[in-house]
Structure formats: C-alpha cells, structure tokens
C-alpha cells in the first residue's frame, strides 16, 4: 500500500514516476483511457495513434516543458500526452 501512496504523492508533487498498465493495453487511438495497476486513470490528450504489440506495458510519466504530462511506453519509446482523470 505504501508504494501506491508514494506514486499518488509523486503525481501530486509533479515528479516523474514509472507504472504498469493493465493487461488489456494495446496502444492508443485518439481518446484512449489508460488504467494503471496502482488504480490511477489517465486520458490521452491529443489525437495520435500507436499500436502496442510488444509484451511489457511499463510506462513512465513526466511533465514536459509546458507542465503537461506525457506517458512513454518504455519498451518502444513511444510517447503520448495525457492528463489524470482519476
């Protein structure tokens, strides 16, 4: 439980963090919801597409120069703009 609390604190504290996406992750296509194994839910911010076919769905969240969050799939290096909704 402390790990989940730490990740939630990191988001509130604007620090980069890594997380795992749920087993159903297949990429994104415009308005995709991303549910993390720690319970957080994020939504894609813009209309790009990416099809994830590789195995692992570990991602890194960090803020860009403008203070907006981005999610990067570590296995492929693909990045998408996101915002936290839950």
């Amino acid at each position: 439980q402390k790990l989940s609390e730490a990740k939630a604190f990191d988001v509130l504290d604007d620090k980069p963090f890594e997380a795992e996406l749920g087993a159903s992750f297949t990429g994104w296509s415009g308005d995709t919801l991303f549910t993390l194994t720690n319970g957080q839910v994020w939504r894609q911010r813009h209309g790009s597409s990416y099809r994830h076919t590789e195995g692992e769905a570990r991602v890194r969240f960090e803020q860009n120069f403008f203070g907006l969050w981005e999610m990067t799939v570590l296995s492929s290096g693909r990045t998408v703009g996101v915002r936290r909704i839950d």
Side-chain angles (χ1 to χ4, degrees):
Q1 187 175 7
K2 288 187 183 237
L3 182 59
S4 295
E5 291 170 4
K7 288 185 184 226
F9 175 79
D10 285 349
V11 170
L12 295 174
D13 201 31
D14 298 337
K15 293 181 182 174
F17 69 97
E18 290 186 9
E20 194 79 29
L21 289 166
S24 62
F25 176 65
T26 58
W28 54 80
S29 61
D31 193 31
T32 305
L33 286 177
F34 305 103
T35 302
L36 308 183
T37 57
N38 68 9
Q40 293 177 6
V41 180
W42 295 72
R43 182 181 297 277
Q44 181 179 357
R45 276 195 340 258
H46 52 78
S48 65
S49 294
Y50 162 65
R51 183 170 178 189
H52 181 76
T53 56
E54 296 120 41
E56 187 178 28
R58 186 135 186 93
V59 292
R60 179 172 176 81
F61 288 81
E62 57 192 332
Q63 289 183 309
N64 65 19
F65 179 78
F66 300 105
L68 300 172
W69 285 96
E70 294 183 337
M71 179 185 82
T72 301
V73 179
L74 296 179
S75 63
S76 67
R78 294 294 301 265
T79 298
V80 63
V82 292
R83 69 179 184 276
R84 186 168 176 191
I85 60 170
D86 189 24

